[in-house]
Amino acid sequence: MAQATAPLNGDQKTGALSNGKNTLTSTENRTGRQNGVPIEMETIRAMDLRQIRVNPDDFGLMTYDPAFMNTAACKSKITFIDGDKGILRYRGYPIEQLAEKSNFLETAYLIIYGELPRKSQYEDWVNDVMMHTLIHENIKKFVDGFHYDAHPMGMLISSVAALSTFYTDAKNIFDPQSRQLQIFRLVGKMPTLAAFAFRHSVGRPYVYPDNEMSYAGNFLSMLFKMTELKYKVHPVLEHALDVLFILHADHEQNCSASAMRSVGSSHVDPYSATTAAAAALYGPLHGGANEAVLVMLDEIGNKNNVPGFIASVKEGKGKLMGFGHRVYKNYDPRAKVIKKLADEVFEVTGRSPKLDIALELERIALEDEYFIKRKLYPNVDFYSGLIYQAMGFPVEMFPVLFAIGRTPGWVSQWQEMLLDQEQKIARPRQIYMGHGVRDYVMMGKRDEPKKGKNGA
Ligand code: ACO
């Protein structure tokens, strides 16, 4: 039973309703009035707090929760995370099983539609997605317009936004068929937009999709094909990329999924909402940490320098990048899968010397009191950058790869939000800390700062 310990202007305690449900009960000191707020699913409804009045003329008690540290903004059936136990499941299926037995498009279907597809459903889904990999020729011209050194993630974000101008039917968000079509298009076109952004940044001609290939294989072909008639993809690398997409496919209410839901709640088309989600992902606190891991490994330079580096982290001189997570206080289950995958990739590409540094960092950190006490374990980004780099991706492409993998999660979160009767336009409250009312002052009467000798 939850226990409240910090009375605001009254005493809060837990009790029980006549129907046996737990309540959070508070007593208003001023009036002696008792309020019972039901506790369901270990949660109270913030709106129920409105019945508690701190002052006679206020509209009721609010919660203050910057960064949503302790606020559930939705009910969801998509992804389950238990950060203490290191558990991640999509629609109930453990991530380890999906990474080993499924493939990205099947997992995408599971995330979006809630169940693993039957054979015919799977074949139709793959066909529908792959049929929508081509992009309008004008989008190509749009990508052409970017500067030669434009960041591929900036190009991806802009070109996804541009899609909304090509598919105006996407505005019909309450038409299930229209939603379905936009989902095919988004999942299908994301790799093409990403590959075109990459080819533009390296000054190579665009490669059109080859729908006879797998989702990951086609993406690799659009990225790396040169003059050969058909790109021959290495099966180990194709599989590794596919698994990496699975591992990134959803992560419940993270920053970009929240952006997708929040912007989508205004009933804008899904391309515009996906643009917001991708922009959220671009930030170094979200999709950019794997790049920081590579920079850190470069700086360490040699396995022998690891103890010195760990000591400097403990002295507060920096962070061990790729370690720690807001939710996981245990080994990130995705990091375990990636570590195994790294061995398979390095068999093909040759072992990255940075891997030895990473392994040594992990070994020492996991035995060290500082990291044990703070429950700091490797997260998904600790090894993923090493794999991407070994596969030939420049670091700027890392968040782009993340965006492709995360697209099924975004569209699934978006659709769940739209169909949830409890959802409305997202609109948080604030605690106003500014001036009270004051009268407008004409410009000539406003105080000018006094100037020093040299006008400074
Ligand atoms: N290295 C060293 N110390 C760390 C690290 C780290 N990587 N992460 C956290 N700590 C320490 C903090 O300094 C703090 O110590 P203190 O209690 O002595 O002050 C304690 O551990 C708790 O950390 P918080 O900062 O409170 O944890 P929070 O949940 O706010 O941060 C975060 C999580 C941002 C992921 C953090 O662990 C971090 O910066 N890690 C490195 C960056 C990184 O790898 N990010 C990728 C996350 S995965 C993803 O987004 C896909």
PDB file of all heavy atoms in Angstrom, residues 69 251 284-287 289 293 313 318-327 329 332 334 370-371 374 376 379-381 402, ligand 1:
ATOM      1  N   MET A  69       9.209  12.805 -14.283  1.00  0.00           N
ATOM      2  CA  MET A  69       9.977  11.767 -13.582  1.00  0.00           C
ATOM      3  C   MET A  69       9.062  10.731 -12.915  1.00  0.00           C
ATOM      4  O   MET A  69       9.473   9.604 -12.662  1.00  0.00           O
ATOM      5  CB  MET A  69      10.858  12.412 -12.512  1.00  0.00           C
ATOM      6  CG  MET A  69      11.912  13.339 -13.057  1.00  0.00           C
ATOM      7  SD  MET A  69      13.340  12.470 -13.663  1.00  0.00           S
ATOM      8  CE  MET A  69      14.081  11.941 -12.146  1.00  0.00           C
ATOM      9  N   HIS A 251      10.590   1.722 -27.003  1.00  0.00           N
ATOM     10  CA  HIS A 251      11.103   1.757 -25.623  1.00  0.00           C
ATOM     11  C   HIS A 251      10.147   2.558 -24.768  1.00  0.00           C
ATOM     12  O   HIS A 251      10.553   3.469 -24.063  1.00  0.00           O
ATOM     13  CB  HIS A 251      12.527   2.328 -25.590  1.00  0.00           C
ATOM     14  CG  HIS A 251      13.351   1.719 -24.508  1.00  0.00           C
ATOM     15  ND1 HIS A 251      14.121   2.451 -23.642  1.00  0.00           N
ATOM     16  CD2 HIS A 251      13.511   0.417 -24.135  1.00  0.00           C
ATOM     17  CE1 HIS A 251      14.724   1.629 -22.792  1.00  0.00           C
ATOM     18  NE2 HIS A 251      14.368   0.394 -23.073  1.00  0.00           N
ATOM     19  N   PRO A 284      21.646  14.822 -28.279  1.00  0.00           N
ATOM     20  CA  PRO A 284      22.695  13.953 -27.730  1.00  0.00           C
ATOM     21  C   PRO A 284      22.288  13.218 -26.450  1.00  0.00           C
ATOM     22  O   PRO A 284      22.897  12.209 -26.102  1.00  0.00           O
ATOM     23  CB  PRO A 284      23.859  14.914 -27.442  1.00  0.00           C
ATOM     24  CG  PRO A 284      23.265  16.279 -27.406  1.00  0.00           C
ATOM     25  CD  PRO A 284      22.035  16.238 -28.276  1.00  0.00           C
ATOM     26  N   LEU A 285      21.231  13.686 -25.778  1.00  0.00           N
ATOM     27  CA  LEU A 285      20.808  12.957 -24.580  1.00  0.00           C
ATOM     28  C   LEU A 285      19.909  11.770 -24.938  1.00  0.00           C
ATOM     29  O   LEU A 285      19.526  10.996 -24.085  1.00  0.00           O
ATOM     30  CB  LEU A 285      20.042  13.888 -23.628  1.00  0.00           C
ATOM     31  CG  LEU A 285      20.855  15.020 -23.019  1.00  0.00           C
ATOM     32  CD1 LEU A 285      20.044  15.743 -21.957  1.00  0.00           C
ATOM     33  CD2 LEU A 285      22.161  14.503 -22.415  1.00  0.00           C
ATOM     34  N   HIS A 286      19.562  11.654 -26.208  1.00  0.00           N
ATOM     35  CA  HIS A 286      18.651  10.567 -26.594  1.00  0.00           C
ATOM     36  C   HIS A 286      19.346   9.644 -27.597  1.00  0.00           C
ATOM     37  O   HIS A 286      19.902   8.629 -27.211  1.00  0.00           O
ATOM     38  CB  HIS A 286      17.372  11.196 -27.145  1.00  0.00           C
ATOM     39  CG  HIS A 286      16.225  10.254 -27.338  1.00  0.00           C
ATOM     40  ND1 HIS A 286      16.249   8.949 -26.953  1.00  0.00           N
ATOM     41  CD2 HIS A 286      14.997  10.451 -27.882  1.00  0.00           C
ATOM     42  CE1 HIS A 286      15.106   8.375 -27.247  1.00  0.00           C
ATOM     43  NE2 HIS A 286      14.329   9.271 -27.815  1.00  0.00           N
ATOM     44  N   GLY A 287      19.365  10.031 -28.862  1.00  0.00           N
ATOM     45  CA  GLY A 287      19.906   9.102 -29.872  1.00  0.00           C
ATOM     46  C   GLY A 287      21.389   9.275 -30.144  1.00  0.00           C
ATOM     47  O   GLY A 287      21.941   8.585 -31.000  1.00  0.00           O
ATOM     48  N   ALA A 289      24.094   9.131 -27.851  1.00  0.00           N
ATOM     49  CA  ALA A 289      25.099   8.695 -26.866  1.00  0.00           C
ATOM     50  C   ALA A 289      26.112   7.708 -27.451  1.00  0.00           C
ATOM     51  O   ALA A 289      27.268   7.675 -27.011  1.00  0.00           O
ATOM     52  CB  ALA A 289      24.408   8.084 -25.653  1.00  0.00           C
ATOM     53  N   VAL A 293      30.289   7.457 -27.006  1.00  0.00           N
ATOM     54  CA  VAL A 293      31.075   6.297 -26.557  1.00  0.00           C
ATOM     55  C   VAL A 293      32.326   6.154 -27.433  1.00  0.00           C
ATOM     56  O   VAL A 293      33.432   5.937 -26.924  1.00  0.00           O
ATOM     57  CB  VAL A 293      30.222   5.002 -26.623  1.00  0.00           C
ATOM     58  CG1 VAL A 293      31.081   3.777 -26.344  1.00  0.00           C
ATOM     59  CG2 VAL A 293      29.061   5.070 -25.640  1.00  0.00           C
ATOM     60  N   VAL A 313      36.755   9.284 -13.779  1.00  0.00           N
ATOM     61  CA  VAL A 313      35.278   9.315 -13.739  1.00  0.00           C
ATOM     62  C   VAL A 313      34.811   9.363 -12.287  1.00  0.00           C
ATOM     63  O   VAL A 313      33.939  10.153 -11.915  1.00  0.00           O
ATOM     64  CB  VAL A 313      34.681   8.075 -14.456  1.00  0.00           C
ATOM     65  CG1 VAL A 313      33.191   7.950 -14.176  1.00  0.00           C
ATOM     66  CG2 VAL A 313      34.929   8.145 -15.953  1.00  0.00           C
ATOM     67  N   GLY A 318      34.207  13.418 -15.464  1.00  0.00           N
ATOM     68  CA  GLY A 318      33.516  13.043 -16.707  1.00  0.00           C
ATOM     69  C   GLY A 318      32.685  11.811 -16.435  1.00  0.00           C
ATOM     70  O   GLY A 318      32.724  11.260 -15.336  1.00  0.00           O
ATOM     71  N   LYS A 319      31.929  11.384 -17.465  1.00  0.00           N
ATOM     72  CA  LYS A 319      31.090  10.204 -17.274  1.00  0.00           C
ATOM     73  C   LYS A 319      31.635   9.043 -18.081  1.00  0.00           C
ATOM     74  O   LYS A 319      32.322   9.250 -19.087  1.00  0.00           O
ATOM     75  CB  LYS A 319      29.674  10.514 -17.720  1.00  0.00           C
ATOM     76  CG  LYS A 319      28.889  11.248 -16.655  1.00  0.00           C
ATOM     77  CD  LYS A 319      27.418  11.292 -16.981  1.00  0.00           C
ATOM     78  CE  LYS A 319      26.637  11.817 -15.798  1.00  0.00           C
ATOM     79  NZ  LYS A 319      25.264  12.129 -16.154  1.00  0.00           N
ATOM     80  N   LEU A 320      31.328   7.870 -17.646  1.00  0.00           N
ATOM     81  CA  LEU A 320      31.620   6.694 -18.456  1.00  0.00           C
ATOM     82  C   LEU A 320      30.451   6.573 -19.429  1.00  0.00           C
ATOM     83  O   LEU A 320      29.353   6.122 -19.049  1.00  0.00           O
ATOM     84  CB  LEU A 320      31.739   5.468 -17.542  1.00  0.00           C
ATOM     85  CG  LEU A 320      31.916   4.108 -18.193  1.00  0.00           C
ATOM     86  CD1 LEU A 320      33.013   4.127 -19.257  1.00  0.00           C
ATOM     87  CD2 LEU A 320      32.259   3.063 -17.147  1.00  0.00           C
ATOM     88  N   MET A 321      30.651   7.036 -20.651  1.00  0.00           N
ATOM     89  CA  MET A 321      29.556   7.077 -21.621  1.00  0.00           C
ATOM     90  C   MET A 321      29.113   5.657 -21.981  1.00  0.00           C
ATOM     91  O   MET A 321      29.934   4.746 -22.053  1.00  0.00           O
ATOM     92  CB  MET A 321      29.971   7.844 -22.897  1.00  0.00           C
ATOM     93  CG  MET A 321      30.331   9.288 -22.628  1.00  0.00           C
ATOM     94  SD  MET A 321      29.098  10.182 -21.646  1.00  0.00           S
ATOM     95  CE  MET A 321      27.754  10.327 -22.786  1.00  0.00           C
ATOM     96  N   GLY A 322      27.807   5.509 -22.215  1.00  0.00           N
ATOM     97  CA  GLY A 322      27.278   4.176 -22.507  1.00  0.00           C
ATOM     98  C   GLY A 322      26.982   3.387 -21.242  1.00  0.00           C
ATOM     99  O   GLY A 322      26.648   2.212 -21.294  1.00  0.00           O
ATOM    100  N   PHE A 323      27.155   4.031 -20.097  1.00  0.00           N
ATOM    101  CA  PHE A 323      26.830   3.407 -18.812  1.00  0.00           C
ATOM    102  C   PHE A 323      25.718   4.203 -18.139  1.00  0.00           C
ATOM    103  O   PHE A 323      25.676   5.422 -18.245  1.00  0.00           O
ATOM    104  CB  PHE A 323      28.055   3.390 -17.894  1.00  0.00           C
ATOM    105  CG  PHE A 323      28.732   2.051 -17.823  1.00  0.00           C
ATOM    106  CD1 PHE A 323      29.347   1.516 -18.937  1.00  0.00           C
ATOM    107  CD2 PHE A 323      28.753   1.332 -16.638  1.00  0.00           C
ATOM    108  CE1 PHE A 323      29.973   0.286 -18.891  1.00  0.00           C
ATOM    109  CE2 PHE A 323      29.373   0.094 -16.569  1.00  0.00           C
ATOM    110  CZ  PHE A 323      29.987  -0.434 -17.694  1.00  0.00           C
ATOM    111  N   GLY A 324      24.868   3.511 -17.409  1.00  0.00           N
ATOM    112  CA  GLY A 324      23.804   4.188 -16.668  1.00  0.00           C
ATOM    113  C   GLY A 324      22.575   4.390 -17.533  1.00  0.00           C
ATOM    114  O   GLY A 324      22.659   4.425 -18.774  1.00  0.00           O
ATOM    115  N   HIS A 325      21.436   4.458 -16.885  1.00  0.00           N
ATOM    116  CA  HIS A 325      20.169   4.652 -17.608  1.00  0.00           C
ATOM    117  C   HIS A 325      19.127   5.136 -16.623  1.00  0.00           C
ATOM    118  O   HIS A 325      19.136   4.727 -15.458  1.00  0.00           O
ATOM    119  CB  HIS A 325      19.715   3.325 -18.239  1.00  0.00           C
ATOM    120  CG  HIS A 325      18.679   3.488 -19.294  1.00  0.00           C
ATOM    121  ND1 HIS A 325      17.343   3.597 -19.003  1.00  0.00           N
ATOM    122  CD2 HIS A 325      18.783   3.574 -20.644  1.00  0.00           C
ATOM    123  CE1 HIS A 325      16.667   3.735 -20.130  1.00  0.00           C
ATOM    124  NE2 HIS A 325      17.520   3.737 -21.144  1.00  0.00           N
ATOM    125  N   ARG A 326      18.237   6.013 -17.086  1.00  0.00           N
ATOM    126  CA  ARG A 326      17.190   6.523 -16.207  1.00  0.00           C
ATOM    127  C   ARG A 326      16.276   5.397 -15.710  1.00  0.00           C
ATOM    128  O   ARG A 326      15.838   5.370 -14.566  1.00  0.00           O
ATOM    129  CB  ARG A 326      16.375   7.576 -16.975  1.00  0.00           C
ATOM    130  CG  ARG A 326      15.125   8.079 -16.289  1.00  0.00           C
ATOM    131  CD  ARG A 326      15.402   8.739 -14.955  1.00  0.00           C
ATOM    132  NE  ARG A 326      16.284   9.890 -15.003  1.00  0.00           N
ATOM    133  CZ  ARG A 326      15.962  11.117 -15.429  1.00  0.00           C
ATOM    134  NH1 ARG A 326      14.744  11.350 -15.857  1.00  0.00           N
ATOM    135  NH2 ARG A 326      16.821  12.096 -15.417  1.00  0.00           N
ATOM    136  N   VAL A 327      16.025   4.422 -16.561  1.00  0.00           N
ATOM    137  CA  VAL A 327      15.074   3.362 -16.203  1.00  0.00           C
ATOM    138  C   VAL A 327      15.791   2.088 -15.731  1.00  0.00           C
ATOM    139  O   VAL A 327      15.426   1.498 -14.722  1.00  0.00           O
ATOM    140  CB  VAL A 327      14.144   3.035 -17.397  1.00  0.00           C
ATOM    141  CG1 VAL A 327      13.172   1.921 -17.038  1.00  0.00           C
ATOM    142  CG2 VAL A 327      13.367   4.274 -17.829  1.00  0.00           C
ATOM    143  N   LYS A 329      18.227  -0.087 -13.861  1.00  0.00           N
ATOM    144  CA  LYS A 329      19.183  -0.081 -12.759  1.00  0.00           C
ATOM    145  C   LYS A 329      19.792  -1.481 -12.689  1.00  0.00           C
ATOM    146  O   LYS A 329      20.078  -2.030 -11.640  1.00  0.00           O
ATOM    147  CB  LYS A 329      18.506   0.312 -11.441  1.00  0.00           C
ATOM    148  CG  LYS A 329      17.866   1.702 -11.511  1.00  0.00           C
ATOM    149  CD  LYS A 329      18.875   2.820 -11.840  1.00  0.00           C
ATOM    150  CE  LYS A 329      18.188   4.122 -12.201  1.00  0.00           C
ATOM    151  NZ  LYS A 329      19.054   5.101 -12.872  1.00  0.00           N
ATOM    152  N   ASP A 332      21.220  -3.425 -19.088  1.00  0.00           N
ATOM    153  CA  ASP A 332      20.246  -3.162 -20.156  1.00  0.00           C
ATOM    154  C   ASP A 332      20.165  -4.440 -21.007  1.00  0.00           C
ATOM    155  O   ASP A 332      21.185  -4.876 -21.562  1.00  0.00           O
ATOM    156  CB  ASP A 332      20.754  -1.961 -20.966  1.00  0.00           C
ATOM    157  CG  ASP A 332      19.828  -1.551 -22.107  1.00  0.00           C
ATOM    158  OD1 ASP A 332      19.046  -2.391 -22.569  1.00  0.00           O
ATOM    159  OD2 ASP A 332      19.930  -0.387 -22.534  1.00  0.00           O
ATOM    160  N   ARG A 334      19.192  -5.014 -23.842  1.00  0.00           N
ATOM    161  CA  ARG A 334      19.602  -4.807 -25.238  1.00  0.00           C
ATOM    162  C   ARG A 334      21.129  -4.848 -25.367  1.00  0.00           C
ATOM    163  O   ARG A 334      21.673  -5.301 -26.364  1.00  0.00           O
ATOM    164  CB  ARG A 334      19.058  -3.472 -25.748  1.00  0.00           C
ATOM    165  CG  ARG A 334      17.538  -3.390 -25.690  1.00  0.00           C
ATOM    166  CD  ARG A 334      17.039  -1.986 -25.914  1.00  0.00           C
ATOM    167  NE  ARG A 334      17.524  -1.050 -24.911  1.00  0.00           N
ATOM    168  CZ  ARG A 334      17.298   0.259 -24.933  1.00  0.00           C
ATOM    169  NH1 ARG A 334      16.591   0.785 -25.903  1.00  0.00           N
ATOM    170  NH2 ARG A 334      17.776   1.050 -23.982  1.00  0.00           N
ATOM    171  N   TYR A 370      32.022   2.154  -6.872  1.00  0.00           N
ATOM    172  CA  TYR A 370      31.338   3.377  -7.337  1.00  0.00           C
ATOM    173  C   TYR A 370      30.168   3.012  -8.261  1.00  0.00           C
ATOM    174  O   TYR A 370      29.047   3.504  -8.103  1.00  0.00           O
ATOM    175  CB  TYR A 370      32.338   4.279  -8.075  1.00  0.00           C
ATOM    176  CG  TYR A 370      31.721   5.507  -8.723  1.00  0.00           C
ATOM    177  CD1 TYR A 370      31.715   6.734  -8.067  1.00  0.00           C
ATOM    178  CD2 TYR A 370      31.129   5.442  -9.993  1.00  0.00           C
ATOM    179  CE1 TYR A 370      31.154   7.869  -8.654  1.00  0.00           C
ATOM    180  CE2 TYR A 370      30.561   6.556 -10.593  1.00  0.00           C
ATOM    181  CZ  TYR A 370      30.575   7.765  -9.913  1.00  0.00           C
ATOM    182  OH  TYR A 370      29.999   8.874 -10.504  1.00  0.00           O
ATOM    183  N   PHE A 371      30.434   2.132  -9.213  1.00  0.00           N
ATOM    184  CA  PHE A 371      29.415   1.776 -10.210  1.00  0.00           C
ATOM    185  C   PHE A 371      28.394   0.808  -9.626  1.00  0.00           C
ATOM    186  O   PHE A 371      27.206   0.879  -9.932  1.00  0.00           O
ATOM    187  CB  PHE A 371      30.093   1.175 -11.457  1.00  0.00           C
ATOM    188  CG  PHE A 371      30.967   2.178 -12.165  1.00  0.00           C
ATOM    189  CD1 PHE A 371      32.313   2.323 -11.822  1.00  0.00           C
ATOM    190  CD2 PHE A 371      30.442   3.019 -13.126  1.00  0.00           C
ATOM    191  CE1 PHE A 371      33.110   3.271 -12.437  1.00  0.00           C
ATOM    192  CE2 PHE A 371      31.232   3.974 -13.752  1.00  0.00           C
ATOM    193  CZ  PHE A 371      32.572   4.103 -13.398  1.00  0.00           C
ATOM    194  N   ARG A 374      25.875   2.734  -7.438  1.00  0.00           N
ATOM    195  CA  ARG A 374      24.937   3.571  -8.196  1.00  0.00           C
ATOM    196  C   ARG A 374      24.152   2.771  -9.245  1.00  0.00           C
ATOM    197  O   ARG A 374      23.428   3.337 -10.053  1.00  0.00           O
ATOM    198  CB  ARG A 374      25.710   4.697  -8.893  1.00  0.00           C
ATOM    199  CG  ARG A 374      26.217   5.734  -7.913  1.00  0.00           C
ATOM    200  CD  ARG A 374      27.188   6.702  -8.564  1.00  0.00           C
ATOM    201  NE  ARG A 374      27.647   7.705  -7.620  1.00  0.00           N
ATOM    202  CZ  ARG A 374      28.560   7.503  -6.672  1.00  0.00           C
ATOM    203  NH1 ARG A 374      29.129   6.307  -6.552  1.00  0.00           N
ATOM    204  NH2 ARG A 374      28.914   8.474  -5.856  1.00  0.00           N
ATOM    205  N   LEU A 376      25.129   1.253 -11.981  1.00  0.00           N
ATOM    206  CA  LEU A 376      25.469   1.694 -13.344  1.00  0.00           C
ATOM    207  C   LEU A 376      25.965   0.497 -14.148  1.00  0.00           C
ATOM    208  O   LEU A 376      26.965  -0.134 -13.797  1.00  0.00           O
ATOM    209  CB  LEU A 376      26.554   2.782 -13.290  1.00  0.00           C
ATOM    210  CG  LEU A 376      26.175   4.047 -12.507  1.00  0.00           C
ATOM    211  CD1 LEU A 376      27.387   4.957 -12.327  1.00  0.00           C
ATOM    212  CD2 LEU A 376      25.055   4.789 -13.218  1.00  0.00           C
ATOM    213  N   ASN A 379      24.604   0.365 -21.127  1.00  0.00           N
ATOM    214  CA  ASN A 379      23.299   0.513 -21.775  1.00  0.00           C
ATOM    215  C   ASN A 379      23.430   0.171 -23.260  1.00  0.00           C
ATOM    216  O   ASN A 379      24.511  -0.190 -23.736  1.00  0.00           O
ATOM    217  CB  ASN A 379      22.724   1.922 -21.529  1.00  0.00           C
ATOM    218  CG  ASN A 379      23.622   3.014 -22.078  1.00  0.00           C
ATOM    219  OD1 ASN A 379      24.070   2.942 -23.215  1.00  0.00           O
ATOM    220  ND2 ASN A 379      23.887   4.035 -21.264  1.00  0.00           N
ATOM    221  N   VAL A 380      22.329   0.316 -23.992  1.00  0.00           N
ATOM    222  CA  VAL A 380      22.276  -0.114 -25.397  1.00  0.00           C
ATOM    223  C   VAL A 380      23.374   0.544 -26.243  1.00  0.00           C
ATOM    224  O   VAL A 380      23.844  -0.022 -27.230  1.00  0.00           O
ATOM    225  CB  VAL A 380      20.872   0.175 -25.983  1.00  0.00           C
ATOM    226  CG1 VAL A 380      20.594   1.657 -26.108  1.00  0.00           C
ATOM    227  CG2 VAL A 380      20.654  -0.504 -27.317  1.00  0.00           C
ATOM    228  N   ASP A 381      23.807   1.738 -25.825  1.00  0.00           N
ATOM    229  CA  ASP A 381      24.752   2.483 -26.653  1.00  0.00           C
ATOM    230  C   ASP A 381      26.208   2.089 -26.434  1.00  0.00           C
ATOM    231  O   ASP A 381      27.075   2.545 -27.162  1.00  0.00           O
ATOM    232  CB  ASP A 381      24.596   3.986 -26.380  1.00  0.00           C
ATOM    233  CG  ASP A 381      23.329   4.528 -26.994  1.00  0.00           C
ATOM    234  OD1 ASP A 381      22.963   4.031 -28.063  1.00  0.00           O
ATOM    235  OD2 ASP A 381      22.709   5.416 -26.399  1.00  0.00           O
ATOM    236  N   PHE A 402      19.012   4.647 -35.773  1.00  0.00           N
ATOM    237  CA  PHE A 402      18.097   4.564 -34.622  1.00  0.00           C
ATOM    238  C   PHE A 402      16.682   4.937 -35.086  1.00  0.00           C
ATOM    239  O   PHE A 402      15.689   4.266 -34.756  1.00  0.00           O
ATOM    240  CB  PHE A 402      18.614   5.538 -33.554  1.00  0.00           C
ATOM    241  CG  PHE A 402      18.098   5.336 -32.160  1.00  0.00           C
ATOM    242  CD1 PHE A 402      18.892   5.694 -31.071  1.00  0.00           C
ATOM    243  CD2 PHE A 402      16.841   4.829 -31.907  1.00  0.00           C
ATOM    244  CE1 PHE A 402      18.439   5.544 -29.767  1.00  0.00           C
ATOM    245  CE2 PHE A 402      16.377   4.677 -30.605  1.00  0.00           C
ATOM    246  CZ  PHE A 402      17.175   5.033 -29.539  1.00  0.00           C
TER     247      PHE A 402
HETATM  248  N1  ACO B   1      29.371   7.539 -15.413  1.00  0.00           N
HETATM  249  C1  ACO B   1      29.680   7.912 -14.146  1.00  0.00           C
HETATM  250  N2  ACO B   1      28.774   8.222 -13.213  1.00  0.00           N
HETATM  251  C2  ACO B   1      27.478   8.166 -13.572  1.00  0.00           C
HETATM  252  C3  ACO B   1      27.081   7.781 -14.877  1.00  0.00           C
HETATM  253  C4  ACO B   1      28.084   7.462 -15.804  1.00  0.00           C
HETATM  254  N3  ACO B   1      27.776   7.092 -17.047  1.00  0.00           N
HETATM  255  N4  ACO B   1      25.734   7.821 -14.964  1.00  0.00           N
HETATM  256  C5  ACO B   1      25.301   8.204 -13.755  1.00  0.00           C
HETATM  257  N5  ACO B   1      26.350   8.410 -12.919  1.00  0.00           N
HETATM  258  C6  ACO B   1      26.298   8.782 -11.503  1.00  0.00           C
HETATM  259  C7  ACO B   1      25.807  10.213 -11.347  1.00  0.00           C
HETATM  260  O1  ACO B   1      26.902  11.116 -11.359  1.00  0.00           O
HETATM  261  C8  ACO B   1      25.141  10.120 -10.001  1.00  0.00           C
HETATM  262  O2  ACO B   1      26.134  10.087  -9.014  1.00  0.00           O
HETATM  263  P1  ACO B   1      25.919  10.814  -7.584  1.00  0.00           P
HETATM  264  O3  ACO B   1      24.766  10.087  -6.958  1.00  0.00           O
HETATM  265  O4  ACO B   1      27.203  10.658  -6.875  1.00  0.00           O
HETATM  266  O5  ACO B   1      25.591  12.252  -7.911  1.00  0.00           O
HETATM  267  C9  ACO B   1      24.489   8.745 -10.005  1.00  0.00           C
HETATM  268  O6  ACO B   1      25.311   7.965 -10.888  1.00  0.00           O
HETATM  269  C10 ACO B   1      23.047   8.737 -10.485  1.00  0.00           C
HETATM  270  O7  ACO B   1      22.998   9.245 -11.805  1.00  0.00           O
HETATM  271  P2  ACO B   1      21.887  10.226 -12.375  1.00  0.00           P
HETATM  272  O8  ACO B   1      22.579  11.267 -13.175  1.00  0.00           O
HETATM  273  O9  ACO B   1      20.979  10.666 -11.273  1.00  0.00           O
HETATM  274  O10 ACO B   1      21.078   9.272 -13.318  1.00  0.00           O
HETATM  275  P3  ACO B   1      20.011   9.744 -14.408  1.00  0.00           P
HETATM  276  O11 ACO B   1      18.962   8.718 -14.409  1.00  0.00           O
HETATM  277  O12 ACO B   1      19.616  11.151 -14.216  1.00  0.00           O
HETATM  278  O13 ACO B   1      20.870   9.689 -15.751  1.00  0.00           O
HETATM  279  C11 ACO B   1      21.848   8.923 -17.757  1.00  0.00           C
HETATM  280  C12 ACO B   1      20.822   8.653 -16.644  1.00  0.00           C
HETATM  281  C13 ACO B   1      21.595  10.314 -18.382  1.00  0.00           C
HETATM  282  C14 ACO B   1      21.691   7.873 -18.842  1.00  0.00           C
HETATM  283  C15 ACO B   1      23.250   8.871 -17.143  1.00  0.00           C
HETATM  284  O14 ACO B   1      23.472   7.598 -16.566  1.00  0.00           O
HETATM  285  C16 ACO B   1      24.330   9.207 -18.151  1.00  0.00           C
HETATM  286  O15 ACO B   1      24.609  10.380 -18.401  1.00  0.00           O
HETATM  287  N6  ACO B   1      24.963   8.158 -18.784  1.00  0.00           N
HETATM  288  C17 ACO B   1      25.963   8.407 -19.793  1.00  0.00           C
HETATM  289  C18 ACO B   1      25.303   8.803 -21.111  1.00  0.00           C
HETATM  290  C19 ACO B   1      24.640   7.630 -21.798  1.00  0.00           C
HETATM  291  O16 ACO B   1      25.208   6.558 -21.934  1.00  0.00           O
HETATM  292  N7  ACO B   1      23.398   7.862 -22.271  1.00  0.00           N
HETATM  293  C20 ACO B   1      22.644   6.855 -23.016  1.00  0.00           C
HETATM  294  C21 ACO B   1      21.439   6.400 -22.272  1.00  0.00           C
HETATM  295  S1  ACO B   1      20.657   5.087 -23.193  1.00  0.00           S
HETATM  296  C22 ACO B   1      19.681   5.850 -24.349  1.00  0.00           C
HETATM  297  O17 ACO B   1      19.272   6.976 -24.203  1.00  0.00           O
HETATM  298  C23 ACO B   1      19.348   5.158 -25.604  1.00  0.00           C
END
